[in-house]
Amino acid sequence: IEATIDGQLESAFTTLNVNAKPFVPNVNAAEFVPAFVQGHHGVALAKTPVENGDAEMTTEEPWDQKEVEPSEEEPGGGVCVDRGPEGPDETAPEMMEEEEEVLVPKVPPTQPDAPKKEHINVVFIGHVDAGKSTIGGQIMYLTGMVDKRTLEKYEREAKEKNRETWYLSWALDTNQEERDKGKTVEVGRAYFETDKKHFTILDAPGHKSFVPNMIGGASQADLAVLVISARKGEFETGFEKGGQTREHAMLAKTAGVKHLIVLVNKMDDPTVNWSLERYEECKEKLVPFLKKVGFNPKKDIHFMPCSGLTGANLKEPTNMCSWYTGLPFIPHLDSLPNFNRSSDGPVRLPIVDKYKDMGTVILGKLESGSISKAQQLVMMPNRHVVEVLSLLSDDVETDDAGPGENLKLRLKGIEEEEILPGFILCNAENLCHSGRTFDAQIVIIEHKSIICPGYNAVLHIHTCIEEVQITALICLVDKKTGEKSKTRPRFVKQDQVCIARLRTAGTICLETFKDFPQMGRFTLRDEGVCAYISIILSV
């Protein structure tokens, strides 16, 4: 208690001093200070006489005496004493400002004539505790987006909680709950740049309770990094029926991710010790499943070993692993071919999140078209006309934005309550389709029993989550030849492909897969398991 009261007194007197307000004369200073504090300093404050107030101000005197003494003198005298601290105090804010300025610009400013770097969203997916956040934190450190001092602070804090191996993941898991449990809940976001490209890291949660959050993250990604743990036992649990490795790979494919990089993490673990046999074993088990989901092993998938905790093989090649001859992770990302995106297509921006901040602010990834300041757009499916007040691309203000960028838009003409995640911003000339009934081709990957008309599930399409019912099964499709059956099937079971008519509970925005692949594919989840991947044929 003494310490806190001391602190409060000190701050109170400093503010009095800085504001240079002279005390009212004849105020008994002892009233300001509780009795035991006076006893503590061994000073009777009010009674201290001042002969030469200004001359005998030595540094040895206790602070409480020094600050209060002018109150016994005339108000004019008080001002002279106050001049002392004013000098440093005026410069102090400037110095602080300078320091702040040094800390703020994490993103290097682009020159006006420099061509814009290509934006790529990378989502980290995989089983819980495979090391997704740690790899994300390590990448941010290696590319200079997190300074050493911050990491050292995290390391100290983590050590206090006996979690010293978790400190890298704290760069992306920012809230207290995530740090205490060591599990990501929300999709973490961070940026880093290489020589040719600008990347956004989306750090998806691995826990099966938070799969809906992970789907939201994957729907914004162009590229997925599937992190698997090579540690004995961990890879197996992640890959078996209940594990998230399978489910996440499948969700990434439906979310429209074209490339998949498989990072075999924890290679530095004592049970693995960079062994080629273990790496090949993980690879052999994964390839058939990824093939079944729809990735082409030769073109779309790239395997690489790494260690998130030590940072080996993320930026620089490591001598521990002489058998791996490819590029390390960050240079490999840099060397990927460019994604062809049409900036002259219709504007489509699925909304991921919204909040109030001097107006209505929405977040989302621009899938096609380009948006500029003061442009008039339409919010579907409610057909609200809105105007763009300001544009932030990865937290940097711009006047216009092209496809593939993560945007924050401040809108005029709509309230925050009127927007839901899953709504879509379009240009007035070319609105997206909205409806409740549509036909889709469904692939049943894992389902215990059969599916009949009347079956209910949860539909995840772009950023929208909605309840859906299968109202009719139209026909079965042969997997190899693509031929459709003449008769209507009464039910479908696992590993079959069918075309069905679905009806959602509310109106949603959707497009056919042929016109607009990003908004024409969806997943159905039932009882917390992702069982089907589907594409929309007609609305």
Side-chain angles (χ1 to χ4, degrees), residues 400-415:
D400 46 21
E405 293 189 37
N406 293 309
L407 302 180
K408 272 185 194 171
L409 303 181
R410 188 167 276 122
L411 300 178
K412 180 179 160 190
I414 192 166
E415 285 301 312

Side-chain angles (χ1 to χ4, degrees), residues 17 54 60 70 147 165 177 200 202 205 209 212 234 252 257 316 349 361 374 412 433 443 478 517 524 527 532-533:
N17 229 4
D54 296 16
E60 282 81 345
D147 49 18
T165 56
E177 183 197 356
T200 303
L202 299 161
S209 319
E234 279 194 13
V257 171
E316 304 292 334
L349 186 132
V361 179
K412 180 179 160 190
H433 291 95
V443 184
D478 191 302
L524 294 175
E527 295 170 6
Y532 328 91
I533 49 178

Side-chain angles (χ1 to χ4, degrees), residues 12 20 83 105 109 124 152 164 182 215 237 247 255 288 349 357 359 414 422 439 463 467 494 505 507 509 513:
R83 287 241 170 88
F124 282 86
E152 280 166 0
E164 53 261 38
I215 295 174
T237 46
E247 185 173 1
L349 186 132
D357 175 24
I414 192 166
D439 292 353
T463 57
E467 284 186 19
Q494 188 171 330
T507 307
C509 299
F513 183 76

Side-chain angles (χ1 to χ4, degrees), residues 47-281:
K47 296 166 184 73
T48 327
V50 180
E51 279 113 1
N52 303 348
D54 296 16
E56 291 185 4
M57 282 279 170
T58 50
T59 44
E60 282 81 345
E61 286 183 39
W63 56 269
D64 32 22
Q65 228 174 321
K66 182 164 133 191
E67 310 285 17
V68 181
E69 272 167 5
S71 70
E72 310 252 87
E73 297 201 36
E74 286 307 305
V79 182
C80 302
V81 182
D82 285 346
R83 287 241 170 88
E86 239 177 299
D89 263 300
E90 282 174 348
T91 51
E94 284 174 28
M95 281 159 65
M96 280 169 69
E97 272 172 35
E98 274 179 15
E99 271 183 34
E100 277 172 19
E101 278 167 21
V102 175
L103 291 173
V104 169
K106 280 281 168 72
V107 182
T110 47
Q111 274 68 38
D113 54 345
K116 264 192 171 179
K117 290 183 181 178
E118 189 189 15
H119 273 247
I120 292 184
N121 293 351
V122 184
V123 66
F124 282 86
I125 55 176
H127 192 62
V128 62
D129 280 346
K132 299 178 289 297
S133 301
T134 301
I135 288 178
Q138 185 71 275
I139 287 171
M140 285 170 67
Y141 170 57
L142 291 172
T143 52
M145 298 306 284
V146 174
D147 49 18
K148 198 162 185 188
R149 210 170 101 201
T150 317
L151 272 190
E152 280 166 0
K153 186 181 109 200
Y154 288 158
E155 195 166 3
R156 275 200 311 277
E157 288 173 10
K159 232 179 200 132
E160 283 164 17
K161 294 188 176 181
N162 294 332
R163 299 272 185 275
E164 53 261 38
T165 56
W166 289 1
Y167 72 98
L168 283 163
S169 65
W170 286 13
L172 283 157
D173 292 350
T174 44
N175 71 25
Q176 207 50 49
E177 183 197 356
E178 294 183 328
R179 289 182 174 184
D180 291 344
K181 293 184 178 171
K183 291 182 177 59
T184 312
V185 178
E186 296 283 326
V187 175
R189 274 168 177 265
Y191 321 110
F192 72 94
E193 291 205 356
T194 57
D195 301 338
K196 301 177 195 163
K197 295 182 170 72
H198 176 104
F199 291 95
T200 303
I201 300 176
L202 299 161
D203 172 37
H207 203 277
K208 67 167 177 281
S209 319
F210 312 123
V211 168
N213 294 0
M214 177 260 153
I215 295 174
S219 67
Q220 303 165 53
D222 307 301
L223 178 87
V225 178
L226 179 63
V227 182
I228 57 173
S229 164
R231 192 184 282 174
K232 284 275 189 300
E234 279 194 13
F235 168 69
E236 285 74 12
T237 46
F239 190 64
E240 279 155 15
K241 272 277 159 67
Q244 261 46 60
T245 306
R246 303 165 75 99
E247 185 173 1
H248 280 197
M250 190 165 90
L251 286 167
K253 182 65 187 169
T254 22
V257 171
K258 299 174 192 67
H259 284 273
L260 184 74
I261 296 175
V262 182
L263 277 183
V264 184
N265 190 20
K266 304 195 186 181
M267 292 295 285
D268 59 326
D269 192 78
T271 61
V272 184
N273 210 356
W274 295 97
S275 89
L276 177 61
E277 291 77 46
R278 179 66 174 160
Y279 174 73
E280 287 298 333
E281 183 192 338

Side-chain angles (χ1 to χ4, degrees), residues 338-358:
N338 283 3
F339 292 90
N340 48 342
R341 298 192 178 104
S342 60
S343 53
D344 50 355
V347 174
R348 294 284 183 273
L349 186 132
I351 290 161
V352 183
D353 202 0
K354 40 84 188 219
Y355 60 89
K356 263 189 185 148
D357 175 24
M358 296 163 60

